[in-house]
């Protein structure tokens, strides 16, 4: 199919300089006037940019017509090649039954109500310890690096079973995987040590199982009809570790910034902390999936009335879709009681975020605890001076200087019955 007559726009859209919370204003115009339009991406990929909620949801929800094979963010990553062969265990680029085999294997570690109930005290302890450390400082810190990243790093390490001392390995790998600037050689250099470490850990856990995610994944694999190879198990753990900290740390930081910039919404939350779980949904609607997700058409088809040829790439602009007034009234207003039902911030359909229940748990416990233990938390610089990441596809603040008067001890005013997250309620 020829696309010659369709104008091609350039991605990424310029960052808004008026509002630190929105997708580029250009997305609103596209949604109204050219909801499926051709774009040239920084990696050289030419794709259809899809911006309306209904169309993005339809494409994410139909894995038969829209394959994940290219990779999720190949439109922005310098090392990405949508046509490279699949590596063993690279489940994020698989479809159908091949993919489901992996999804079923990891699910029990991150999404069952029982597992989440086990994880909550671990997450609470990580957050309390981090605040205890900050309480020893001079009442100023950089929230993203001093709180958000250490907390989410410790949490995903604890979920998989990798000690905090080894965090450098997966922080480096994660930064390279989600980088917009690291090339293929840089990616390999960053990921290889993590794979080597995990391979070694796998052998140790095979010989002497522990009470951790990696040991349970080995046991489930051994009992499965089609056991996983060591390389596949290593890859699953590496993907979880790499995907599971900066995403949540960034939403936590961006979310805190949004709350501090909307004092009336923050006051609602303080007055009624049981609103935290629904506030999290609104924050994920606001900030989740910001870089957009790539799919490839498996056959000639249509989306939003536009003809799409087999083999064409699509960039599904999740954040723009979640700001579609047809789906969310007054979509650019942060409304913590909106509930955000049906948002696409964690994706939708077969590949929707594996870690969404653990992300919800971490965000909920973090905000509940910050409200309770650090009620005086505030920005230490004007809003306009908060820097944003430019080298990562995980979009959000690069640093968030904050200050406070006092961090209350963990035991003081501890909630008798914290609000359960949607995953825990099941
Ligand atoms: C607020 C934090 C997070 C956000 C906004 C987020 C967002 C997303 C989105 C939009 C996708 C869909 C990709 C697609 O459709 O191709 C995704 C997939 C994924 N997420 Fe998350 N995520 C978050 C936290 C986490 C955490 C904590 C983990 C690990 C525990 C995790 C692990 C994954 C994995 C492994 C995938 C790939 C799923 C697949 O392709 O099968 N994420 N995430």
């Amino acid at each position: 199919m020829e696309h010659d007559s369709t104008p091609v726009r350039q991605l990424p859209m310029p960052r808004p300089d008026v509002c630190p919370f929105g997708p580029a204003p250009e997305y609103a115009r596209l949604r109204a006037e050219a909801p499926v339009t051709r774009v040239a991406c920084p990696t050289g990929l030419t794709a259809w940019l899809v911006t309306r909620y209904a169309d993005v949801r339809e494409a994410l929800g139909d894995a038969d017509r829209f394959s994940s094979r290219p990779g999720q963010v190949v439109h922005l990553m310098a090392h990405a090649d949508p046509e490279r062969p699949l590596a063993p265990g690279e489940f994020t680029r698989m479809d159908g039954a091949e993919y489901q085999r992996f999804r079923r294997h990891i699910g029990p570690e991150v999404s069952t109500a029982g597992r989440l109930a086990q994880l909550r005290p671990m997450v609470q302890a990580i957050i309390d310890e981090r605040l205890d450390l900050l309480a020893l400082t001079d009442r100023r810190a950089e929230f993203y690096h001093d709180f958000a990243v250490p907390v989410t790093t410790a949490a995903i390490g604890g979920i998989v079973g990798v000690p905090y001392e080894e965090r450098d390995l997966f922080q480096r790998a994660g930064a390279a995987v989600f980088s917009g600037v690291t090339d293929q050689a840089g990616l390999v250099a960053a990921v290889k040590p993590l794979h080597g470490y995990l391979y070694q850990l796998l052998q140790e856990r095979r010989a002497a199982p522990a009470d951790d995610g990696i040991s349970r994944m080995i046991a489930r694999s051994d009992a499965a009809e089609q056991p996983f190879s060591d390389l596949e198990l290593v890859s699953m753990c590496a993907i979880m570790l790499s995907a599971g900290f900066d995403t949540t740390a960034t939403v936590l930081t961006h979310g805190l910034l949004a709350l501090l910039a909307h004092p009336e919404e923050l006051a609602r939350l303080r007055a009624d902390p049981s609103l935290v779980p629904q506030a999290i949904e609104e924050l994920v609607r606001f900030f989740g999936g910001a870089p957009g997700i790539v799919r490839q058409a498996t056959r000639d088809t249509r989306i939003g009335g536009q003809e799409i040829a087999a083999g064409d790439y699509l960039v599904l602009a999740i954040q723009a879709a979640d700001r579609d007034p047809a789906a969310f009234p007054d979509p650019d207003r942060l409304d913590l009681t909106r509930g955000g039902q049906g948002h696409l911030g964690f994706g939708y359909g077969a590949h929707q975020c594996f870690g969404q229940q653990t992300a919800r748990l971490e965000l909920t416990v973090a905000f509940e605890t910050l409200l309770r233990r650090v009620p005086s938390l505030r920005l230490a610089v004007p809003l306009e001076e908060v820097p944003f990441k430019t080298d990562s596809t995980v979009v959000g603040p690069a640093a968030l200087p904050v200050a406070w008067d006092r961090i209350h001890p963990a035991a003081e005013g501890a909630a008798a019955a914290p609000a359960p997250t949607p995953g825990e309620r099941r």
Side-chain angles (χ1 to χ4, degrees):
M1 204 181 297
E2 278 298 320
H3 304 306
D4 289 352
S5 58
T6 319
V8 179
R9 292 178 173 80
Q10 204 68 38
L11 274 188
M13 305 282 171
R15 257 205 73 73
D17 49 10
V18 277
C19 170
F21 306 122
E26 177 69 359
Y27 280 108
R29 202 182 63 71
L30 287 178
R31 240 183 357 240
E33 293 169 17
V36 183
T37 191
R38 294 296 274 170
V39 282
C41 307
T43 53
L45 206 74
T46 303
W48 294 103
L49 179 74
V50 184
T51 45
R52 281 188 183 158
Y53 177 88
D55 300 337
V56 169
R57 194 169 189 270
E58 179 185 333
L60 286 172
D62 192 341
D64 286 342
R65 275 194 299 154
F66 300 105
S67 164
S68 289
R69 184 53 59 105
Q72 299 169 359
V73 203
V74 279
H75 55 313
L76 299 177
M77 294 164 160
H79 57 74
D81 172 2
E83 289 174 7
R84 74 191 189 284
L86 208 59
E90 199 187 356
F91 63 85
T92 56
R93 293 177 58 216
M94 295 176 186
D95 294 311
E98 186 187 28
Y99 170 68
Q100 286 307 329
R101 173 175 168 249
F102 284 84
R103 185 139 191 136
R104 276 198 306 273
H105 197 71
I106 298 177
E109 292 313 316
V110 284
S111 57
T112 63
R115 181 70 181 135
L116 293 167
Q118 283 174 347
L119 290 176
R120 187 184 267 267
M122 178 190 87
V123 170
Q124 183 70 64
I126 289 168
I127 287 168
D128 280 330
E129 277 166 28
R130 192 40 53 182
L131 286 181
D132 292 345
L133 283 177
L134 290 183
L136 303 175
T137 67
D138 62 357
R139 290 176 288 144
R140 283 176 80 96
E142 197 280 272
F143 184 81
Y144 176 58
H145 289 102
D146 296 341
F147 183 84
V149 171
V151 161
T152 58
T153 300
I156 190 64
I159 288 166
V160 176
V162 171
Y164 190 64
E165 302 80 74
E166 306 294 349
R167 65 191 176 282
D168 251 20
L169 282 170
F170 60 92
Q171 284 182 341
R172 273 176 221 263
V177 168
F178 289 106
S179 166
V181 292
T182 305
D183 62 12
Q184 185 61 32
L187 177 73
V188 172
V191 169
K192 225 174 160 181
L194 175 63
H195 280 209
Y197 167 80
L198 287 171
Y199 186 81
Q200 186 59 39
L201 186 62
L202 201 68
Q203 309 315 315
E204 287 169 21
R205 293 292 182 263
R206 265 197 204 294
D211 180 15
D212 61 16
I214 195 162
S215 302
R216 283 188 294 271
M217 280 167 63
I218 294 169
R220 276 202 301 279
S221 169
D222 289 348
E225 212 170 284
Q226 191 188 352
F228 291 89
S229 71
D230 282 359
L231 281 184
E232 287 175 328
L233 286 166
V234 162
S235 177
M236 278 189 261
C237 293
I239 291 174
M240 293 301 288
L241 290 164
S242 308
F245 68 95
D246 197 31
T247 40
T248 312
T250 301
V251 171
L252 180 54
T253 307
H254 218 163
L256 177 66
L257 179 64
L259 290 177
L260 295 176
H262 293 81
E264 67 302 338
E265 288 300 292
L266 183 56
R268 286 170 91 183
L269 215 50
R270 275 198 216 296
D272 183 2
S274 73
L275 295 177
V276 169
Q278 48 176 312
I280 301 302
E281 296 309 310
E282 176 70 343
L283 292 173
V284 176
R285 178 184 76 86
F286 240 56
F287 301 122
I293 296 290
V294 172
R295 295 288 189 260
Q296 185 170 29
T298 57
R299 62 182 89 132
D300 290 351
T301 183
R302 294 179 82 83
I303 197 93
Q306 173 65 51
E307 286 184 19
I308 309 283
D312 278 2
Y313 296 109
L314 293 87
V315 173
L316 306 171
I318 290 183
Q319 200 188 19
D322 275 344
R323 303 294 188 99
D324 185 342
F328 301 98
D330 199 2
D332 293 323
R333 191 164 68 83
L334 184 74
D335 174 0
L336 298 183
T337 52
R338 187 196 296 270
Q341 270 87 6
H343 70 73
L344 306 174
F346 286 121
Y348 178 70
H351 277 263
Q352 66 179 280
C353 181
F354 256 41
Q356 59 183 289
Q357 303 301 6
T358 59
R360 286 186 170 103
L361 180 66
E362 290 168 45
L363 292 166
T364 300
V365 178
F367 279 116
E368 278 171 0
T369 310
L370 289 168
L371 289 172
R372 178 165 50 79
R373 291 191 61 190
V374 208
S376 54
L377 190 62
R378 56 187 177 270
L379 274 181
V381 295
L383 182 61
E384 314 76 67
E385 287 176 21
V386 173
F388 275 74
K389 292 188 251 186
T390 52
D391 56 352
S392 172
T393 60
V394 185
V395 181
L400 189 66
V402 291
W404 60 87
D405 300 326
R406 180 172 179 228
I407 296 182
H408 295 266
E412 214 172 274
T421 64
E424 288 173 298
R425 252 178 251 133
R426 275 175 305 151

